[in-house]
């Protein structure tokens, strides 16, 4: 592994809300401190788990301002600059830089979809407007563009991007990305966005993980990373089995799908554990209730999280 400050476990931070859907600063600080105390290597704000797609610009900047102050330099902070098109992303990058973040994370453009040529130019245009480390966020389920491993490594060799967060779920492509990255001298820090297959990603050559489930159990992800560094693959696998079972919090939800079932389950778990004060979601997503809450609590109890 190279000497990049970005490695290990970097949770994408779930953002707590009050019942009135305003930012819950008390719960946010409690959650941030809990993950840092567990030994995480960084924190990623304004990603999918942070409901970035549901935030106004003012709400994004409020989250960053408060988050950077709460982290207070204890770990590196990555900020999502996710928006529809290049100039809007550049504007997000400039604003985020002003709040003192350590790195930026951008998807491919979306809505007005282009091809590989436009996608590559998108990242090069962002680089022209910032000196901060830039990570490409591979998220085809949301932006409808799959980032090509060869293009990503080329951008890494040219100094355009410094890393990749792969949330594509495409393990074949991820393996190729790791191989091409090594062949090129490891210009990129490569992270998996998986919760359930982190052990396989480490075996493939990942430099770390960005799992939303680490909001709930940061301790196990940190322990798994340390076991991987020590070459204790049996412990890596055993911890992954526990985390895979814990991820059932998202599988037991019946009332909804998408963000409501995924981030909604994470928020509900954190609420039941006493980390969050509510499980409120951003409009138009509704908070889970009733049988879904009971099912999530049962998963937490079965896996020793209560």
């Amino acid at each position: 592994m190279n000497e990049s400050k970005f490695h290990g476990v970097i949770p994408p931070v779930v953002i707590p809300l009050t019942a009135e859907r305003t930012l819950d600063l008390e719960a946010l600080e409690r959650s941030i401190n809990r993950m840092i105390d567990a030994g995480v290597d960084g924190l990623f704000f304004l990603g999918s788990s942070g409901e970035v797609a549901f935030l106004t610009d003012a709400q994004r900047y409020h989250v960053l301002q408060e988050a950077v102050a709460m982290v207070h330099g204890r770990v590196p902070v990555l900020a999502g600059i996710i928006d529809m098109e290049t100039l809007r992303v550049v504007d997000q990058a400039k604003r985020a830089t002003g709040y003192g973040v350590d790195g930026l994370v951008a998807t491919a453009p979306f809505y007005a979809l282009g091809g590989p040529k436009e996608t590559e130019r998108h990242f090069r245009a962002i680089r022209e407007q910032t000196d901060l480390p830039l990570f490409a966020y591979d998220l085809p389920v949301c932006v409808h563009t799959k980032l090509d491993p060869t293009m990503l490594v080329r951008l890494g060799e040219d100094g355009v991007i410094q890393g990749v967060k792969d949330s594509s779920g495409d393990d074949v492509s991820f393996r190729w990305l790791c191989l091409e990255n090594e062949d090129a001298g490891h210009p990129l820090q490569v992270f998996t966005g998986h919760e359930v297959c982190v052990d396989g990603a480490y075996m493939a050559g990942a430099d770390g993980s960005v799992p939303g489930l680490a909001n709930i159990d940061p301790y196990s992800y940190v322990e798994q990373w340390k076991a991987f560094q020590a070459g204790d693959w049996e412990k890596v696998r055993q911890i992954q089995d526990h985390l895979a079972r814990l991820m059932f919090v998202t599988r037991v939800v019946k009332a909804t799908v998408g963000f409501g079932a995924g981030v909604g389950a994470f928020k509900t778990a954190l609420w039941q554990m006493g980390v969050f004060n509510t499980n409120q979601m951003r409009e138009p997503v509704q908070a889970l209730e009733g049988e879904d809450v009971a099912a999530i609590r049962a998963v937490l109890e079965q896996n020793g999280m209560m």
Side-chain angles (χ1 to χ4, degrees):
M1 187 179 68
N2 63 30
E3 297 302 315
S4 170
K5 70 168 73 173
F6 302 104
H7 58 264
V9 181
I10 304 180
V13 179
V14 177
I15 303 299
L17 302 175
T18 67
E20 293 75 31
R21 289 190 167 94
T22 60
L23 183 60
D24 189 336
L25 294 175
E26 175 199 24
L28 179 61
E29 186 164 25
R30 182 162 57 236
S31 184
I32 286 173
N33 288 339
R34 178 172 175 265
M35 287 187 280
I36 292 176
D37 290 346
V40 301
D41 300 284
L43 292 170
F44 170 33
F45 294 91
L46 301 183
S48 300
S49 296
E51 297 171 289
V52 65
F54 300 89
L55 300 179
T56 66
D57 285 353
Q59 289 168 334
R60 292 186 185 200
Y61 305 144
H62 186 205
V63 168
L64 282 185
Q65 182 180 28
E66 298 291 349
V68 171
M70 290 174 183
V71 173
H72 197 59
R74 289 176 289 172
V75 296
V77 169
L78 288 169
I81 52 170
I82 297 161
D83 220 315
M84 291 186 296
E85 294 301 327
T86 303
L87 293 182
R88 292 183 60 84
V89 174
V90 166
D91 184 62
Q92 296 285 344
K94 291 178 178 178
R95 295 292 188 97
T97 300
Y99 287 105
V101 304
D102 298 290
L104 305 170
V105 183
T107 67
F110 49 95
Y111 190 79
L113 297 176
K117 180 180 177 181
E118 289 78 16
T119 299
E120 181 166 347
R121 176 59 197 154
H122 171 72
F123 288 106
R124 291 184 183 276
I126 300 169
R127 167 53 59 218
E128 292 168 2
Q129 300 296 325
T130 181
D131 294 325
L132 285 178
L134 176 63
F135 283 70
Y137 189 177
D138 195 7
L139 190 65
V141 69
C142 290
V143 306
H144 308 294
T145 296
K146 177 73 181 78
L147 299 180
D148 175 64
T150 301
M151 179 198 72
L152 291 170
V153 173
R154 180 167 62 247
L155 290 173
E157 289 179 301
D158 291 349
V160 175
I161 62 173
Q162 284 63 54
V164 177
K165 180 192 182 248
D166 188 304
S167 294
S168 68
D170 185 342
D171 291 332
V172 174
S173 178
F174 185 81
R175 188 63 172 255
W176 285 338
L177 172 61
C178 290
L179 287 172
E180 291 191 46
N181 191 44
E182 286 306 308
D183 290 344
H186 207 109
L188 299 171
Q189 293 294 101
V190 179
F191 290 81
T192 178
H194 263 307
E195 281 88 6
V196 177
C197 301
V198 177
D199 52 349
Y202 287 164
M203 184 174 288
D207 297 288
S209 60
V210 188
L213 191 66
N215 287 264
I216 298 172
D217 189 359
Y219 307 96
S220 291
Y221 280 105
V222 170
E223 186 179 8
Q224 183 188 44
W225 170 250
K226 291 178 178 177
F228 159 61
Q229 289 182 301
D232 188 348
W233 286 102
E234 179 58 22
K235 187 173 184 180
V236 170
R237 185 194 63 78
Q238 290 174 355
I239 293 171
Q240 188 64 76
D241 283 347
H242 156 70
L243 293 166
R245 292 188 178 97
L246 184 58
M247 191 65 178
F248 271 60
V249 294
T250 64
R251 293 188 65 193
V252 297
V253 174
K254 303 299 183 186
T256 187
V257 296
F259 277 93
V263 177
F266 291 163
K267 285 193 175 190
T268 299
L270 289 163
W271 169 47
Q272 290 297 295
M273 293 165 64
V275 181
F276 282 12
N277 297 315
T278 77
N279 66 337
Q280 185 62 276
M281 300 287 289
R282 297 281 183 183
E283 288 282 18
V285 185
Q286 300 301 301
L288 298 175
E289 56 187 8
E291 292 181 359
D292 284 332
V293 174
I296 289 168
R297 185 178 181 91
V299 174
L300 295 172
E301 290 172 345
Q302 292 163 8
N303 290 278
M305 296 305 299
M306 295 300 293

